[in-house]
């Protein structure tokens, strides 16, 4: 045994001597050239090629590295043995990641690739413009040479798309509002945000199912048709106008749209915007995949129909300063929704709401600005059934047929809003039979009142249009109508 160790030591000494001799005979340049030639020969006969994706490209973060990390998180949770767990800011889910110096096999279009996560210590630098991480991280992609074109043409693009979907799914949505007076927050942005937790969905929205499905299909088509908008030369945006009486679910519709598409919401308060320039800057600071909302636009600022005479409008249609320093013009708002500045981002939806569509200028309502007009009407019979299911848990066959039939007969005549129905059901949700009974009584009383008011209006209109009323100034019959109105008001 002693002789064995002695022979091994002698052999190591000979090897060390040969190495030092080679270094003295062959200069480092020649040694480097030999290694380079050997590497080329190895690559020539190798069937694989390798691509390195580093975490930091120079001084900037490599977006492809983050995309690969997210993409692999959907696979390693099933196939990996050693995983790293992370949870991003504003995220409600935990992300699985590939551990340091570990590898995983992926398949794309029947092509097998190997990803390896390489982590090494970074060499200390004496000077740097910005501090660098102590560890140097990156992914190495190994593929066969014959699959190189397929991987470079479509696989990396597919990874970017999947990463965006995963990021949008994992990240909580935010509700933004513009800062008061145009001030900036701590990050230098004119928007303040809170987590968006509204539970409204299209399943719980009380409206006609056919109309609801049309809106959902339109939203899905918009989100999936980026190539169509590019091919036709249109900005990737769409406008929706929600109009109808108060309490018909316009705000709930906006929340359902955001939850359906998983978009952020920017609630723009026009009364806090002082000029067209500030309005454009707010638009520039919004992100893609978002819904920009202006609620009650007919009440926010004076941007009403130019065909109607307005005391504070000029002949050119611009809105004069109302005295509070607000100088937004109709032209500025039109350019905001459909001008050159409207295409500074992509995949945006503009939603305006109003209780009085007749007060809005036609230029604001045309296609290209408000592409889809959605009338949020009073409750219909399908809407009533949705609300009964939401608040009381009633399904199609749980209620008495006679009760459903009477509801169907009176609901259109009652002209009741979903908000009023919801309140009636919430108040008695612990006693389902009482809730249905009181709702039916409310529908009957509203239908009766509306019928009586409608008959009085018809009598008044007939009296004013009659020849006798024109000859005598409508005095006699007008007095009779007034008496009837007074009597009916006494009844209430």
């Amino acid at each position: 045994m002693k002789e064995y160790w002695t022979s091994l030591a002698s052999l190591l000494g000979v090897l060390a001597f040969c190495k030092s001799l080679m270094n003295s005979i062959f200069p480092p340049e020649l040694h480097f050239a030999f290694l380079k030639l050997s590497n080329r020969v190895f690559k020539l006969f190798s069937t694989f090629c390798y691509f390195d994706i580093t975490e930091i490209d120079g001084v900037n973060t490599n977006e492809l590295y983050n995309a690969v990390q997210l993409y692999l998180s959907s696979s390693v949770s099933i196939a990996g043995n050693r995983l790293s767990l992370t949870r991003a800011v504003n995220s409600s889910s935990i992300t699985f990641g590939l551990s340091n110096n570990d590898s995983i096999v992926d398949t794309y279009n029947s092509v097998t690739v190997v990803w390896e996560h390489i982590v090494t210590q970074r060499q200390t630098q004496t000077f740097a413009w910005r501090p660098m991480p102590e560890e140097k991280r990156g992914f190495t992609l190994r593929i066969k040479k014959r699959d190189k074109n397929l991987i470079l043409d479509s696989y990396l693009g597919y990874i970017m798309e999947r990463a965006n979907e995963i990021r949008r799914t994992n990240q909580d949505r935010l509700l933004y509002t513009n800062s008061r007076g145009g001030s900036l927050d701590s990050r230098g942005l004119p928007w303040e945000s809170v987590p968006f937790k509204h539970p409204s969905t299209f399943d719980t929205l009380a409206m006609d199912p056919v109309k609801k499905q049309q809106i959902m299909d339109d939203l899905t088509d918009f989100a999936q048709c980026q190539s169509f908008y590019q091919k036709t030369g249109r900005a990737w945006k769409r406008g929706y106008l929600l109009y109808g009486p108060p309490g018909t679910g316009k705000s709930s519709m906006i929340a359902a749209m955001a939850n359906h598409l998983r978009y952020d919401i920017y609630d723009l308060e026009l009364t806090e915007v002082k000029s067209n320039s500030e309005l454009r800057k707010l638009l520039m600071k919004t992100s893609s995949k978002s819904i920009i909302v202006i609620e009650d636009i007919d009440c926010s600022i004076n941007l009403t129909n130019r065909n109607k005479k307005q005391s504070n409008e000029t002949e050119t249609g611009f809105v004069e300063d109302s005295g509070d320093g607000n100088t937004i013009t109709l032209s500025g708002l039109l350019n905001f929704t459909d001008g050159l500045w409207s295409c500074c981002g992509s995949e945006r939806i503009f939603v305006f709401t109003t209780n009085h569509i007749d007060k809005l200028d036609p230029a604001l309502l045309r296609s290209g600005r408000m592409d889809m007009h959605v009338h949020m009407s009073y409750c219909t019979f399908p809407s009533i059934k949705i609300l009964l299911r939401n608040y009381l848990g009633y399904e199609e066959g749980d209620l008495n047929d006679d009760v459903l039939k009477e509801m169907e007969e009176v609901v259109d005549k009652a002209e009741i809003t979903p908000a009023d129905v919801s309140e009636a059901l919430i108040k008695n949700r612990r006693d389902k039979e009482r809730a249905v009974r009181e709702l039916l009584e409310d529908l009957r009383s509203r239908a009766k009142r509306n019928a009586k008011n409608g008959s009085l209006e018809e009598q008044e209109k007939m009296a004013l249009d009659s020849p006798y009323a024109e000859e005598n100034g409508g005095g006699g019959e007008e007095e009779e109508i007034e008496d009837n109105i007074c009597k009916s008001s006494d009844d209430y």
Side-chain angles (χ1 to χ4, degrees):
M1 189 66 180
K2 183 177 180 181
E3 294 177 356
Y4 172 77
W5 287 110
T6 303
S7 301
L8 181 60
S10 301
L11 180 60
L12 292 176
V14 172
L15 291 176
F17 174 75
C18 293
K19 183 180 179 181
S20 61
L21 183 63
M22 293 291 293
N23 290 336
S24 61
I25 295 175
F26 299 101
E29 293 80 4
L30 185 60
H31 182 67
F32 177 76
F34 177 76
L35 293 177
K36 189 174 181 181
L37 179 61
S38 301
N39 191 25
R40 287 185 176 180
V41 173
F42 173 77
K43 290 181 178 179
L44 183 63
F45 291 97
S46 175
T47 58
F48 295 97
C49 57
Y50 300 82
F51 297 93
D52 293 329
I53 303 174
T54 57
E55 181 183 15
I56 297 177
D57 180 17
V59 295
N60 298 319
T61 302
N62 189 352
E63 292 186 3
L64 184 56
Y65 174 88
N66 295 331
V68 171
Q69 194 172 35
L70 278 175
Y71 169 73
L72 294 179
S73 68
S74 62
S75 301
V76 296
S77 58
I78 301 175
N81 295 324
R82 185 182 180 90
L83 309 176
S84 62
L85 305 179
T86 57
R87 179 175 177 177
V89 179
N90 294 329
S91 176
S92 58
S93 61
I94 296 175
T95 302
F96 297 86
L98 199 60
S99 297
N100 298 345
N101 301 315
D102 202 355
S103 61
I104 189 173
V105 178
D106 187 29
T107 302
Y108 175 74
N109 287 348
S110 302
V111 175
T112 301
V113 301
V114 178
W115 287 98
E116 186 177 2
H117 192 205
I118 306 298
V119 180
T120 58
Q121 291 294 323
R122 189 182 300 275
Q123 297 179 355
T124 56
Q125 298 179 356
T126 57
F127 176 78
W129 290 104
R130 73 170 192 173
M132 304 290 286
E134 295 182 357
E135 293 180 336
K136 185 178 180 181
R137 299 173 177 270
F139 287 101
T140 298
L141 172 63
R142 190 185 74 179
I143 60 174
K144 292 185 178 181
K145 290 182 178 179
R146 67 171 182 265
D147 302 325
K148 181 178 179 179
N149 293 333
L150 172 65
I151 296 301
L152 295 181
D153 291 342
S154 59
Y155 181 53
L156 296 179
Y158 169 75
I159 289 177
M160 295 295 293
E161 293 178 1
R162 284 285 298 128
N164 289 332
E165 293 177 5
I166 296 172
R167 186 181 294 111
R168 189 164 62 248
T169 302
N170 293 342
Q171 187 171 349
D172 288 344
R173 291 173 302 285
L174 297 176
L175 174 62
Y176 294 86
T177 185
N178 48 313
S179 303
R180 184 175 180 83
S183 60
L184 304 179
D185 64 2
S186 57
R187 298 171 298 169
L189 298 177
W191 296 97
E192 300 175 357
S193 64
V194 295
F196 179 71
K197 301 291 186 180
H198 202 293
S200 177
T201 64
F202 279 105
D203 289 336
T204 61
L205 199 62
M207 67 180 303
D208 181 66
V210 176
K211 184 188 298 184
K212 188 190 304 185
Q213 189 62 45
Q214 291 176 350
I215 297 171
M216 293 173 63
D217 293 342
D218 190 76
L219 290 170
T220 303
D221 289 341
F222 167 78
Q224 296 177 353
C225 290
Q226 179 181 9
S227 59
F228 170 78
Y229 282 87
Q230 291 178 347
K231 182 178 66 176
T232 55
R234 293 172 60 94
W236 193 11
K237 65 178 184 63
R238 192 153 179 81
Y240 293 84
L241 176 69
L242 310 182
Y243 66 98
T248 51
K250 293 184 284 293
S251 298
S252 297
M253 167 65 79
I254 296 172
M257 294 168 68
N259 288 327
H260 179 69
L261 296 175
R262 306 193 67 84
Y263 283 5
D264 292 335
I265 295 180
Y266 288 85
D267 186 11
L268 179 58
E269 180 57 54
L270 284 181
T271 56
E272 296 295 338
V273 184
K274 302 305 179 184
S275 64
N276 294 338
S277 175
E278 186 177 332
L279 187 63
R280 289 194 296 267
K281 291 178 181 178
L282 286 170
L283 178 64
M284 292 171 59
K285 295 299 182 180
T286 58
S287 62
S288 299
K289 298 183 183 296
S290 60
I291 300 176
I292 301 174
V293 178
I294 302 180
E295 292 194 277
D296 297 324
I297 189 171
D298 55 306
C299 303
S300 298
I301 54 177
N302 194 356
L303 297 174
T304 50
N305 194 335
R306 285 175 293 180
N307 296 329
K308 297 180 180 181
K309 293 183 179 180
Q310 299 290 336
S311 60
N312 61 333
E313 285 192 13
T314 65
E315 294 180 356
T316 60
F318 288 92
V319 180
E320 296 180 352
D321 191 347
S322 57
D324 58 355
N326 190 312
T327 58
I328 297 179
T329 65
L330 176 60
S331 174
L333 187 61
L334 296 180
N335 290 329
F336 174 81
T337 56
D338 192 36
L340 292 176
W341 289 99
S342 66
C343 60
C344 63
S346 62
E347 201 170 352
R348 287 200 186 103
I349 291 178
F350 292 87
V351 179
F352 291 173
T353 70
T354 179
N355 297 334
H356 307 283
I357 189 174
D358 56 305
K359 292 185 178 181
L360 299 182
D361 194 281
L364 194 63
L365 305 179
R366 72 162 177 81
S367 298
R369 293 187 176 119
M370 295 294 104
D371 303 288
M372 193 172 186
H373 296 187
V374 181
H375 181 215
M376 307 296 291
S377 61
Y378 293 108
C379 266
T380 60
F381 183 59
S383 304
I384 290 286
K385 291 194 294 184
I386 293 175
L387 292 173
L388 290 173
R389 183 196 65 194
N390 292 344
Y391 292 100
L392 304 181
Y394 280 133
E395 297 298 336
E396 188 70 26
D398 294 342
L399 280 175
N400 185 279
D401 292 339
D402 295 335
V403 174
L404 289 175
K405 184 177 181 180
E406 187 174 0
M407 280 188 178
E408 187 175 7
E409 292 175 352
V410 300
V411 64
D412 292 333
K413 303 174 183 178
E415 295 184 354
I416 188 172
T417 64
D420 292 332
V421 175
S422 300
E423 179 58 30
L425 298 179
I426 291 174
K427 182 174 59 177
N428 300 305
R429 66 184 182 277
R430 292 180 178 84
D431 189 346
K432 297 182 179 181
E433 295 181 358
R434 180 181 178 183
V436 174
R437 185 171 60 253
E438 291 192 2
L439 174 61
L440 188 56
E441 292 176 357
D442 190 15
L443 293 174
R444 290 171 185 156
S445 62
R446 287 172 180 264
K448 183 178 180 181
R449 183 168 66 248
N450 292 338
K452 184 176 294 186
N453 292 339
S455 63
L456 291 176
E457 291 176 359
E458 291 178 1
Q459 292 179 23
E460 183 177 0
K461 184 177 180 181
M462 291 175 60
L464 293 176
D465 293 341
S466 64
Y468 178 79
E470 292 178 358
E471 294 176 0
N472 298 278
E477 291 196 15
E478 284 183 6
E479 291 178 1
E480 183 178 351
I481 295 297
E482 290 178 358
D483 292 340
N484 291 335
I485 294 175
C486 294
K487 290 179 182 179
S488 63
S489 62
D490 293 338
D491 295 338
Y492 293 113

